Amino acid sequence: MVSKTSFSGRVAALARPLLPACLLLAPAAARAATLQVDKANVACSDSSGTPYCTVQAAVTAAAAGDVVEVAAGSYIETITIDRNLTVTGAGISTVAGACAGQTELLGAPAVTVTAGATATLSGVTLKGTINQGGAVYNAGVLTLSKAEVCQSLAFIQGGGLYTTGALKLEDVQVYDNGPAAAGVEGGGVYVAAGGSAVITRGTFTGNQAARGGAIAVAAGGVLVLTQSVLELNIADVTVPTATPGEGGGIYNAGIALIDQTSVGGDGAGNVVIDPTGAGGGIYNAGGLLLTRSAIIENGVQGLGGIALGAGLYNAGVAAVISTTVSGNLFTSQLTGWGAGIASSGTLSLSNVTVTANVNTGAGAVGAGVYVVGGTATMRNSIVAAQGFGDDCSGAMVTDGYNLDSDGTCNLVSVAAGGTDQPAVNALLLPLADYGGPTRGHALSEASPAVDGGDPAGCLADVTGGGVPTVPLLADQRGSIFTDVVNAAAGACDSGALEFELVRNGMMEDDDTLDRLPDGWTGSGLLAGDKLFCEPSLAHA
């Protein structure tokens, strides 16, 4: 593992020789030209460009660094970008989910970026059908922003987008993409070996494939996913195929770093349709770091067989931090184990809340966390109050300061020389929006998880190897911890969300701005508790 210091040093060393060259080259850079494309203009000409009639004609005529502006309209052509260009359109669908943008690029695929080329696309709707990457095939460096990829199909991989290069998506909607044949992987996005996808504020809805309904990452591929939402995506093997139904939301065999992302939602979970399917929300066969996120109401459907991990199935190495796993389930016709999390690999949970997950059939075993094999370690976490089935099953290892509600997680109580709280009611509040980008279960005022974390400070294991090394400075909401901290202990809380008085509606205004409440209506506080207040709206 590369240390933070050595990593920073390497980046600085790489950057130093580049800076003088950039400063010398900048004054000599030629001014970029802007080429216009408007098929509806009666004067359009692909020879004179007054304006151009087709996007490809403008791309072919452009020099590296130029800008191609595409007017509103539907352009049915296969566009190949083999030089550094910026392409802008008039905008995407004005009606959400209509897949009828103001500037539509339609082809097979609509856009190909070749190796060695760097392209930026924005304000466009992309759709098409082809073997790999129904709408977009990227072998270069592609940034796609304020765009949508929809109603596209692939015969092999990547119903919407396929990348073997570097792909960056910002504020992009990827929806209703899927397979043109059985066995397709990556309904929305497929990241091939050697490729990478960095996705910020992406929405993935209604995509479908045999494996990786929204996103599939091959071995040797890298996914970085932040501030995104994945809902109603499906891994479907209703049509017989050798590809198993895995990862309704995400299938990862490479490296996946996921932060502040909702995988599923209330009544909008991701689903695997397969009698022996796994990973309704996420199937991990590679390396997964999942932080400050939520896996909610994902499922596995099928008749017969035994399914695993309706929320998360881990067959690789997974580190889950400050995350809620709630309400994941199997259909009643299917025996399922590990509705929340099932793991046969290496699993580490740090400040995680696992609750309200539902096993079915004869599957009372480990509805919260089911350790099929490998190793599983948890610290400062809550596994409690499952909808049906035990909290845990298998060789769960405690690293201290955990809580379960039925005594099945191999926790060690204080009386037995440990620091855990086995077989106690966590007193969790219902799933709701308690602040931040993802939903979760807040702690009630009387919850034994309040100040239940390690008094020396809550640390997270970011490698999945079971050794916590990184101090947690924020909870699932992504904000600095705001809670009632016991002056003697100074502990954070167990679970994904810190107890927060203001969010729980128990703190009055701080009109005097002395960071103390003007009046107090709470109860059950210790004499040494410190009260952290927020100003009233009048002083905000």
Side-chain angles (χ1 to χ4, degrees), residues 343 365-366 369-374 376 390-397 408-410:
S343 180
V365 178
V369 181
Y370 177 35
V371 183
V372 186
D390 299 336
D391 285 333
C392 296
S393 178
M396 176 64 71
V397 177
T408 60
C409 294
N410 297 325

Side-chain angles (χ1 to χ4, degrees), residues 355-383:
T355 187
N357 301 286
V358 179
N359 281 357
T360 55
V365 178
V369 181
Y370 177 35
V371 183
V372 186
T375 61
T377 305
M378 68 175 180
R379 64 194 54 79
N380 303 311
S381 292
I382 298 171
V383 184

Side-chain angles (χ1 to χ4, degrees), residues 128-156:
T129 301
I130 195 63
N131 288 337
Q132 294 177 310
V136 176
Y137 183 98
N138 174 54
V141 178
L142 171 61
T143 297
L144 185 63
S145 64
K146 295 181 173 62
E148 60 184 354
V149 179
C150 47
Q151 296 181 9
S152 298
L153 303 173
F155 286 93
I156 301 176

Side-chain angles (χ1 to χ4, degrees), residues 403-430:
L403 181 156
D404 73 14
S405 59
D406 63 4
T408 60
C409 294
N410 297 325
L411 303 186
V412 182
S413 67
V414 174
T419 58
D420 297 313
Q421 301 182 70
V424 300
N425 188 341
L427 296 177
L428 296 170
L429 296 178

Side-chain angles (χ1 to χ4, degrees), residues 343-359:
S343 180
S344 60
T346 300
L347 175 68
S348 176
L349 307 178
S350 305
N351 283 85
V352 173
T353 297
V354 182
T355 187
N357 301 286
V358 179
N359 281 357

Side-chain angles (χ1 to χ4, degrees), residues 198-510:
V198 178
I199 303 171
T200 305
R201 296 180 302 278
T203 58
F204 294 79
T205 309
N207 301 288
Q208 184 173 337
R211 183 156 63 182
I215 303 171
V217 184
V222 176
L223 170 68
V224 180
L225 181 67
T226 63
Q227 302 174 48
S228 296
V229 176
L230 292 83
E231 294 181 343
L232 300 174
N233 302 285
I234 302 173
D236 184 2
V237 294
T238 303
V239 177
T241 173
T243 304
E246 296 169 338
I250 298 171
Y251 172 83
N252 173 56
I255 300 295
L257 311 177
I258 303 173
D259 182 50
Q260 299 182 76
T261 291
S262 293
V263 181
D266 291 346
N270 306 282
V271 177
V272 170
I273 302 177
D274 186 335
T276 57
I282 300 175
Y283 186 106
N284 177 56
L288 170 66
L289 174 59
L290 178 66
T291 62
R292 300 185 298 179
S293 295
I295 302 177
I296 299 172
E297 292 192 8
N298 303 282
V300 180
Q301 298 180 4
L303 294 172
I306 296 177
L308 298 170
L312 165 66
Y313 182 82
N314 172 53
V317 178
V320 183
I321 301 168
S322 299
T323 290
T324 292
V325 181
S326 173
N328 302 283
L329 73 162
F330 305 99
T331 59
S332 58
Q333 299 90 353
L334 182 66
T335 297
W337 295 342
I341 301 173
S343 180
S344 60
T346 300
L347 175 68
S348 176
L349 307 178
S350 305
N351 283 85
V352 173
T353 297
V354 182
T355 187
N357 301 286
V358 179
N359 281 357
T360 55
V365 178
V369 181
Y370 177 35
V371 183
V372 186
T375 61
T377 305
M378 68 175 180
R379 64 194 54 79
N380 303 311
S381 292
I382 298 171
V383 184
Q386 309 311 317
F388 179 77
D390 299 336
D391 285 333
C392 296
S393 178
M396 176 64 71
V397 177
T398 175
D399 197 26
Y401 305 96
N402 302 294
L403 181 156
D404 73 14
S405 59
D406 63 4
T408 60
C409 294
N410 297 325
L411 303 186
V412 182
S413 67
V414 174
T419 58
D420 297 313
Q421 301 182 70
V424 300
N425 188 341
L427 296 177
L428 296 170
L429 296 178
L431 180 71
D433 180 3
Y434 296 100
T438 56
R439 308 186 78 189
H441 293 268
L443 303 176
S444 64
E445 179 189 1
S447 172
V450 175
D451 288 348
D454 190 341
C458 287
L459 301 178
D461 166 25
V462 298
T463 67
V467 180
T469 57
V470 177
L472 285 178
L473 302 178
D475 67 0
Q476 178 179 318
R477 290 166 289 204
S479 57
I480 296 174
F481 283 146
T482 312
D483 77 332
V484 179
V485 183
N486 183 280
C492 71
D493 301 339
S494 299
L497 271 67
E498 286 284 299
F499 176 70
E500 190 174 6
L501 295 168
V502 174
R503 295 290 181 191
N504 288 351
M506 293 183 289
M507 181 171 287
E508 293 188 3
D509 291 340
D510 177 20

